[in-house]
Amino acid sequence: AAESAPLTAAEHERILREIESTDTNCIGPTLRSVYDGHEHGLFMDKLDARIRNHDREIEKMCNHHFQGFVDSITELLKVRGEAQKLKSQVIDTNRHLQDDGKDVSQTLTLQCRVQQRNIIFTVMLKFLCCCLCLPVLEMYSRLQEQMKAKRYYPALRTLEQLERTCLPKAGQYRFCSIMSENIPKLRTQIRDTAMTQLRDFLESIRKHSDKIGETAIKQWQSYFSLKTPSLIFSLGFQANIKHRTCFVSLQVPGAPDLVDFSPVYRCLHIYTVLGLRDVFENYYRKQRRKQARLVLQPHSNMHETLEGYRRYFNQIVGFFVVEDHVLHTTQGLVNRAYVEELWELALSKIIAALRTHSSYCDNPDLVLDLKNLIVLFADTLQGYGFPVSQLFDMLLEMREQYGEILLKRWNITFRQVLDQDNYSPIPVSTEQEYRHYTSQFPLQDPELEKLPFPKKLPFSEFVPKVYCQLKEFIYACLKYSEDLHLSSTEVDDMIRKSTNLLLTRTLSHCLQYAIKKKNVGLAELVQVIINTTHLEQSCHYLEEFISNITNVPPHTVNATKLYGTSTFKDARHSAEAEIYTSLNAKIDQFLQLADYDWLVSAQGDNAEASDYLIDLIAFLRSTFSVFTNLPGKVAQTACMSACKHISTSLMQLLLDPEVRQISMGALHQLYIDIKECEEEEKDGGKMGRSLVSACPQLLDLFLQWDWSTYLADYGKPTCKYLRVNPHTALALLEKMRESNRKNNMFAQFRKTDRDRQKLMDTIIKQLRNLIAQHHA
């Protein structure tokens, strides 16, 4: 093998550090690296130097601690002397104790012998006593066994026998006096134990009242299914003994199986034997009254779920089932007056709690379930002989709340139906589709049935949907009226009154909301009128529907009538008024485009009507074509309203205070626009007649300059210009005079113009006199 390379000083130093710090078992490889090198002699020199260095350090440390070592040896020498003294003391003490113990041992031995003699004498004496008192001890032992077995009533009998018979025969022994002293304590213990068991019983029935009530209600439901309602509800509080016996025969696996009533009977018997029956009765009734208050206190969140109400009712039923059982299985522990008093208290608390918690409910399904639960609760307690008429009265009060909740829900439903409607006639392409819609809404239209498919129903989707929702509302009202022991007439009256509220308040407001929306156009308003007309015609079908489900003829005396006809009439009138308003607003938009030149000079015969008026007439023509499905009176009224609005608006343009001057040419242009409306009349339109009859007399008066006729005939019924107000004529004439003064600067140089100006001044003066006379 090749020779290893020589080790350097650094490597030697590293090996030395490893030798110092490495475990002895692992130092072999390090030493091998030294022996494999050629410089191990040099390494040994360095190792000797390192050893000498460590020796010097050890010597320094020993020198440093030498004085302390010497001091420690000196202290040890001192302690050795003290230890020798202590050892001598311990030996002396032990010797003295041994000497003293001999005297004590002799004294104790003597005392033990005296005690043994006394014990033998006492045993002999006790044997004689036992022979005389054995019956007492046996009786007392029996008493202990009875107490241990919790047979308290036999224990009371044993105590009585022990006190009256056995103890007097035993003599005046101390244990007899102790027994005599313990007898009242034992009686108190028995009484307290019985009372403890009674408290446990009360706690048990408090915990199990929910289950007891649930069981009783289920048994009532089983019993109810076997009996007719007329038989059950004819049984009142006074004549309930026989009925209750039949019901109790069905509820055998009820309260006694869930609760052990023996503590009550045992405690009652014990207190009776002790002469404390009144105390027990008062205590029991007091505790049950406290429990009644706890049971009748509803949870704060009871109204959130039906389960909260169910637990509340189960606890109450369980409480009174227990009291009813105690009433019939004990002799006077509770009586009928006490139970009736508790029920009166409970009834007022129950009604108050239900009124409070049910007021938070806004879900009609929960109210309906609560009603059914209250009915079952009331019927169950009535089966036990408790009067429940106030609960049914409260259910009638809750019906008003149920109706309000239904109205709120149907308000949302109606709004959704109206918002989702497209306000277009329903297209039907097959017989099946036609029958589908006619099954939802009673459409009677022979002419429509004769038409071939495809065809359109006159109303939009919201008519059958609203009609179906009205029927659903009636069904919802009927569900609440069930099992309330009401006559058919009362049910019919309640349903009709609720339906009237739905029609006159909820549906009416929803229709008004749909009509007043900003984005409703004329076509939608026309469809609303058609829809409400069909709904109005269907009202008598709703009355027949109510009569069929309540079995009350619709023509019964004092029967409430539905107000649907007036509701849909009001909605239709609102839609008509909205049509008139929307139409006038659209007309105003056209009239805002009117740009008359009030100072224009006279025009020739080729003058044409204004562009805005031509566009307005075209709009009205297309609009009135939409009204073809409306009743004639509605379309005619809409036309009259539009034309009257046009006439009034044109008159306002003439009398606008900002228009200070008007020329004859401007009046001529306005006259041409009216002539255009007359042409519309010649074409057979409705608009021309209405417009021409409203406005042109004033223009005829000015264009023909027929003031002599106007002034002479004013106030007569046959006056040619009957509709021309003198105030209006005066205002317009003054504007014309101002226009003539400004435009005819040289009028004073022409005789005709001067004469016309004088004539105009004269007419103005005469009009003012006419107005003054008329005012006087």
Side-chain angles (χ1 to χ4, degrees):
E3 292 182 356
S4 301
L7 295 175
T8 63
E11 288 294 325
H12 289 163
E13 188 65 27
R14 179 182 65 78
I15 292 172
L16 289 174
R17 286 197 303 270
E18 287 184 359
I19 292 173
E20 291 174 347
S21 60
T22 305
D23 190 10
T24 306
N25 296 330
C26 302
I27 203 171
T30 303
L31 295 177
R32 181 176 294 279
S33 63
V34 173
Y35 286 105
D36 289 343
H38 293 282
E39 299 295 333
H40 58 274
L42 180 60
F43 173 77
M44 293 302 294
D45 294 339
K46 289 188 177 184
L47 179 61
D48 292 338
R50 180 65 62 89
I51 291 172
R52 287 192 299 272
N53 187 28
H54 283 302
D55 289 340
R56 285 193 297 270
E57 290 180 357
I58 291 171
E59 185 178 356
K60 288 179 182 180
M61 184 178 295
C62 288
N63 292 334
H64 177 72
H65 293 286
F66 176 75
Q67 186 60 41
F69 175 75
V70 173
D71 294 338
S72 297
I73 294 300
T74 304
E75 291 294 330
L76 284 174
L77 292 174
K78 293 180 180 180
V79 169
R80 184 176 64 181
E82 296 295 329
Q84 290 295 332
K85 293 180 181 179
L86 181 60
K87 181 179 179 181
S88 300
Q89 292 177 358
V90 169
I91 292 173
D92 294 339
T93 301
N94 181 54
R95 187 175 62 254
H96 292 305
L97 285 175
Q98 293 296 329
D99 295 339
D100 294 339
K102 293 179 180 179
D103 298 335
V104 173
S105 175
Q106 293 176 357
T107 303
L108 290 177
T109 301
L110 181 62
Q111 290 179 355
C112 287
R113 289 175 180 174
V114 173
Q115 288 179 354
Q116 287 177 353
R117 186 178 63 251
N118 292 338
I119 289 171
I120 294 172
F121 178 77
T122 303
V123 168
M124 294 177 65
L125 183 61
K126 292 298 182 182
F127 176 75
L128 294 176
C129 293
C130 289
C131 292
L132 296 175
C133 302
L134 185 59
V136 177
L137 296 176
E138 290 178 350
M139 188 72 67
Y140 194 79
S141 176
R142 187 193 310 167
L143 174 64
Q144 295 297 325
E145 291 176 357
Q146 291 171 343
M147 293 289 291
K148 186 176 181 180
K150 298 182 180 180
R151 299 168 56 200
Y152 298 113
Y153 179 69
L156 284 177
R157 294 298 184 188
T158 303
L159 277 177
E160 184 179 1
Q161 186 177 0
L162 183 65
E163 183 181 26
R164 295 183 179 180
T165 305
C166 296
L167 286 177
K169 293 181 180 179
Q172 299 298 323
Y173 294 104
R174 187 168 179 270
F175 76 91
C176 293
S177 62
I178 294 175
M179 288 183 182
S180 299
E181 292 174 359
N182 285 336
I183 286 176
K185 296 179 182 179
L186 290 174
R187 284 199 178 99
T188 303
Q189 180 182 351
I190 292 173
R191 184 190 65 191
D192 294 343
T193 303
M195 184 58 68
T196 302
Q197 292 180 352
L198 178 67
R199 294 192 184 98
D200 294 340
F201 164 79
L202 293 174
E203 181 66 20
S204 175
I205 60 176
R206 188 186 68 81
K207 293 179 179 179
H208 289 85
S209 60
D210 187 5
K211 187 66 176 177
I212 296 171
E214 181 182 358
T215 304
I217 291 176
K218 288 181 179 178
Q219 290 160 355
W220 167 254
Q221 287 179 303
S222 301
Y223 176 69
F224 181 80
S225 64
L226 299 176
K227 299 292 182 180
T228 60
S230 60
L231 173 61
I232 289 175
F233 300 128
S234 64
L235 298 171
F237 177 72
Q238 297 297 332
N240 195 257
I241 303 294
K242 186 176 180 180
H243 167 59
R244 185 196 177 279
T245 303
C246 179
F247 180 40
V248 170
S249 66
L250 291 177
Q251 58 97 30
V252 170
D257 285 345
L258 296 174
V259 177
D260 181 16
F261 283 86
S262 60
V264 179
Y265 310 141
R266 185 183 304 117
C267 197
L268 175 62
H269 208 166
I270 289 172
Y271 270 73
T272 302
V273 172
L274 295 176
L276 300 173
R277 181 185 178 94
D278 294 339
V279 175
F280 175 72
E281 290 179 359
N282 293 333
Y283 176 81
Y284 177 84
R285 296 181 183 185
K286 181 180 179 181
Q287 294 302 316
R288 289 298 279 167
R289 284 192 181 95
K290 290 181 179 179
Q291 288 190 347
R293 293 187 179 93
L294 293 176
V295 167
L296 296 171
Q297 184 65 33
H299 298 290
S300 59
N301 59 346
M302 183 178 72
H303 59 276
E304 295 179 358
T305 61
L306 185 66
E307 192 60 32
Y309 289 105
R310 182 176 284 109
R311 287 197 302 269
Y312 180 64
F313 290 141
N314 287 344
Q315 289 177 356
I316 296 173
V317 172
F319 178 88
F320 283 99
V321 166
V322 169
E323 289 306 289
D324 182 80
H325 185 80
V326 172
L327 173 66
H328 291 86
T329 56
T330 60
Q331 298 176 352
L333 177 58
V334 295
N335 52 30
R336 177 59 65 181
Y338 160 78
V339 175
E340 289 179 1
E341 177 189 352
L342 274 183
W343 174 243
E344 288 297 326
L345 170 66
L347 198 58
S348 61
K349 298 270 187 192
I350 293 168
I351 292 175
L354 290 177
R355 282 173 177 165
T356 301
H357 285 268
S358 63
S359 63
Y360 294 110
C361 184
D362 57 358
N363 185 346
D365 297 330
L366 180 58
V367 175
L368 188 61
D369 292 339
L370 176 60
K371 185 271 302 185
N372 294 330
L373 195 59
I374 295 174
V375 169
L376 187 57
F377 168 74
D379 290 344
T380 302
L381 287 173
Q382 189 181 38
Y384 280 95
F386 296 99
V388 293
S389 59
Q390 294 184 41
L391 288 174
F392 285 98
D393 293 340
M394 188 207 63
L395 286 174
L396 295 180
E397 296 177 11
M398 283 180 58
R399 190 197 62 81
E400 302 296 332
Q401 177 191 352
Y402 176 73
E404 291 296 327
I405 297 174
L406 288 182
L407 292 178
K408 291 179 181 178
R409 170 174 284 191
W410 258 259
N411 179 66
I412 298 174
T413 302
F414 285 146
R415 291 215 174 189
Q416 290 175 347
V417 170
L418 295 174
D419 289 339
Q420 296 170 2
D421 194 61
N422 59 3
Y423 294 94
S424 300
I426 302 175
V428 289
S429 55
T430 62
E431 180 71 22
Q432 183 179 3
E433 290 183 5
Y434 182 79
R435 296 306 172 195
H436 169 71
Y437 286 108
T438 53
S439 64
Q440 293 180 345
F441 182 77
L443 176 63
Q444 302 294 333
D445 192 343
E447 297 297 329
L448 181 62
E449 291 187 1
K450 294 178 182 178
L451 295 177
F453 292 99
K455 53 187 175 183
K456 290 184 177 182
L457 302 180
F459 45 76
S460 65
E461 288 278 356
F462 95 65
V463 170
K465 288 182 179 179
V466 166
Y467 188 81
C468 290
Q469 288 300 324
L470 290 173
K471 293 171 67 175
E472 289 296 326
F473 179 85
I474 293 171
Y475 275 128
C477 294
L478 179 64
K479 287 180 181 179
Y480 191 91
S481 302
E482 294 174 349
D483 301 327
L484 293 185
H485 312 166
L486 300 173
S487 65
S488 298
T489 305
E490 291 174 322
V491 173
D492 182 84
D493 185 65
M494 290 169 59
I495 293 177
R496 288 176 182 271
K497 288 181 178 179
S498 298
T499 306
N500 277 333
L501 285 176
L502 180 70
L503 291 170
T504 58
R505 193 170 75 184
T506 304
L507 182 56
S508 177
H509 290 172
C510 291
L511 290 172
Q512 295 295 332
Y513 159 77
I515 292 169
K516 299 294 183 181
K517 286 194 300 187
K518 294 182 180 180
N519 58 347
V520 177
L522 291 173
E524 287 82 359
L525 291 172
V526 170
Q527 190 62 54
V528 169
I529 293 175
I530 297 171
N531 290 348
T532 52
T533 301
H534 282 84
L535 286 173
E536 178 186 348
Q537 295 170 358
S538 68
C539 286
H540 71 279
Y541 292 103
L542 277 180
E543 295 210 3
E544 291 179 358
F545 174 73
I546 295 175
S547 299
N548 290 335
I549 64 176
T550 59
N551 295 322
V552 177
H555 304 295
T556 304
V557 179
N558 298 327
T560 304
K561 301 299 180 183
L562 293 184
Y563 300 147
T565 302
S566 60
T567 297
F568 297 122
K569 280 183 178 179
D570 293 341
R572 186 167 63 252
H573 292 161
S574 297
E576 293 171 4
E578 196 66 24
I579 286 178
Y580 307 150
T581 303
S582 299
L583 192 58
N584 292 342
K586 195 67 178 178
I587 291 172
D588 288 338
Q589 294 178 4
F590 282 97
L591 291 175
Q592 288 176 359
L593 302 176
D595 189 16
Y596 286 103
D597 185 2
W598 301 111
L599 299 178
V600 67
S601 58
Q603 304 181 27
D605 296 334
N606 296 327
E608 297 180 352
S610 302
D611 293 338
Y612 85 91
L613 189 64
I614 294 174
D615 295 339
L616 175 57
I617 291 173
F619 164 74
L620 292 176
R621 188 183 296 115
S622 64
T623 299
F624 291 148
S625 66
V626 179
F627 293 170
T628 54
N629 294 327
L630 289 175
K633 185 177 180 181
V634 177
Q636 182 180 1
T637 305
C639 182
M640 289 291 294
S641 173
C643 294
K644 182 179 180 181
H645 186 69
I646 293 173
S647 176
T648 303
S649 299
L650 292 177
M651 189 67 70
Q652 290 176 352
L653 289 176
L654 286 175
L655 301 178
D656 189 354
E658 295 183 0
V659 179
R660 300 176 183 273
Q661 303 171 9
I662 296 178
S663 65
M664 189 62 73
L667 294 179
H668 183 67
Q669 178 62 48
L670 194 60
Y671 184 75
I672 292 173
D673 291 343
I674 294 178
K675 282 293 185 181
E676 184 68 23
C677 295
E678 291 181 353
E679 292 298 326
E680 175 70 14
E681 179 187 13
K682 292 177 182 179
D683 292 339
K686 299 178 182 178
M687 183 184 65
R689 288 191 303 274
S690 303
L691 182 59
V692 172
S693 64
C695 181
Q697 289 187 5
L698 180 64
L699 297 178
D700 287 342
L701 175 61
F702 275 83
L703 294 176
Q704 296 178 14
W705 209 252
D706 194 8
W707 293 103
S708 58
T709 302
Y710 176 76
L711 294 172
D713 295 343
Y714 180 77
K716 297 180 181 179
T718 58
C719 178
K720 180 180 179 181
Y721 304 101
L722 183 63
R723 298 188 179 184
V724 178
N725 189 296
H727 294 274
T728 304
L730 177 61
L732 187 57
L733 195 58
E734 288 178 343
K735 291 183 179 184
M736 290 186 63
R737 183 176 66 178
E738 290 296 325
S739 175
N740 290 337
R741 286 178 179 176
K742 182 176 181 180
N743 295 332
N744 300 325
M745 298 177 58
F746 302 99
Q748 56 181 341
F749 301 105
R750 293 194 296 271
K751 183 176 182 305
T752 56
D753 292 335
R754 289 198 307 273
D755 292 342
R756 186 177 182 83
Q757 188 72 22
K758 290 180 180 179
L759 178 58
M760 191 176 298
D761 292 339
T762 302
I763 294 172
I764 288 174
K765 184 177 180 181
Q766 291 176 346
L767 285 173
R768 288 175 178 171
N769 292 333
L770 183 64
I771 292 171
Q773 292 175 3
H774 180 69
H775 180 69

